[in-house]
Amino acid sequence: MKKRSSKIKRETKETDVSVAVNIDGTGKTSVSTGVNFVDHLITAFGKHAMLDLAVKAKSKDNIVHHLIEDTAITIGNAMDKALGNRVGVTRFSYASVPMDESLAEASVDLVKRPFYKLTLSIKRTKIEDVSKEDLEHFFQSLLQNLNSCIHLTVKYGDNDHHKVEAAMKSLAVAFRIACSKDSKQKGIPSTKGAM
């Protein structure tokens, strides 16, 4: 299997984002977006997906929504690019992750058909330094740009911080397993012969 890493830079009039990812890393992360809770979620993702992830994002227009959106898009694009044609991957996976009173589940198919179903069950209008709609949009933009089929659901919980963090960690664990090398798989894991 080829080295699964990539670097992507996305620069617009609104933001400047650079992402480097190594799918076969050790969970080493370096994240700086200026949005504390987003940094926390991205760091948790890298750690629990066991991939090396360096993210540097800067706003040019001081609009948090643009920064959060472009950061998620760039991470998703970088991970998709690093996965390449997905030869030899496990492909399917799921994970159920608790965080105190909250439980989240993620199901992942690394097929190259972007589809996502997202249920975060956030009640508050803001968690830490991020609005509810921007948190939801972060997840939507990330999932859409991973170029995979992903179902991510918070099953229950009382604390919105815990629910969102459990969602991110379940996604990370399911992604780690889905992109792991399958020693029995000799080519692209599809009856079509292509993903």
Side-chain angles (χ1 to χ4, degrees):
M1 192 177 281
K2 291 182 180 179
K3 184 176 179 182
R4 300 185 299 172
S5 62
S6 73
K7 291 182 181 179
I8 293 204
K9 183 169 179 63
R10 177 184 173 93
E11 188 168 2
T12 70
K13 292 179 181 179
E14 300 169 344
T15 63
D16 186 355
V17 183
S18 61
V19 173
V21 63
N22 176 8
I23 299 290
D24 302 306
T26 60
K28 180 181 172 185
T29 60
S30 171
V31 182
S32 175
T33 68
V35 184
N36 295 332
F37 193 47
V38 170
D39 287 0
H40 177 59
L41 292 173
I42 297 168
T43 299
F45 182 80
K47 176 67 175 174
H48 296 288
M50 291 299 289
L51 50 85
D52 294 342
L53 186 58
V55 178
K56 190 170 185 180
K58 183 175 70 174
S59 176
K60 293 180 178 178
D61 63 5
N62 294 316
I63 296 175
V64 174
H65 176 87
H66 295 158
L67 181 66
I68 288 172
E69 177 182 54
D70 285 358
T71 299
I73 288 169
T74 311
I75 293 170
N77 287 336
M79 291 172 60
D80 176 42
K81 183 178 176 186
L83 283 169
N85 63 6
R86 285 126 158 105
V87 167
V89 299
T90 300
R91 179 179 168 178
F92 301 102
S93 182
Y94 65 92
S96 181
V97 172
M99 183 161 182
D100 297 342
E101 85 299 338
S102 299
L103 182 71
E105 294 179 349
S107 296
V108 172
D109 175 2
L110 293 180
V111 67
K112 289 187 174 188
R113 290 196 305 272
F115 177 85
Y116 71 88
K117 177 71 174 168
L118 177 67
T119 307
L120 293 177
S121 302
I122 299 171
K123 294 178 184 172
R124 294 183 352 221
T125 57
K126 191 172 186 180
I127 304 173
E128 307 309 334
D129 57 345
V130 185
S131 71
K132 172 185 175 179
E133 67 179 11
D134 282 343
L135 270 175
E136 289 170 339
H137 193 59
F138 173 81
F139 277 90
Q140 291 163 354
S141 297
L142 176 63
L143 298 179
Q144 191 172 26
N145 287 278
L146 275 169
N147 198 18
S148 301
C149 176
I150 300 172
H151 295 248
L152 182 57
T153 306
V154 171
K155 302 298 283 184
Y156 52 80
D158 297 319
N159 183 294
D160 283 341
H161 181 127
H162 292 168
K163 288 189 280 189
V164 171
E165 193 167 340
M168 184 57 87
K169 289 175 179 176
S170 68
L171 176 62
V173 173
F175 181 82
R176 181 180 79 212
I177 297 167
C179 70
S180 66
K181 298 171 185 175
D182 183 345
S183 60
K184 288 182 159 185
Q185 189 62 252
K186 299 303 178 196
I188 292 173
S190 171
T191 56
K192 297 177 193 295
M195 298 281 266

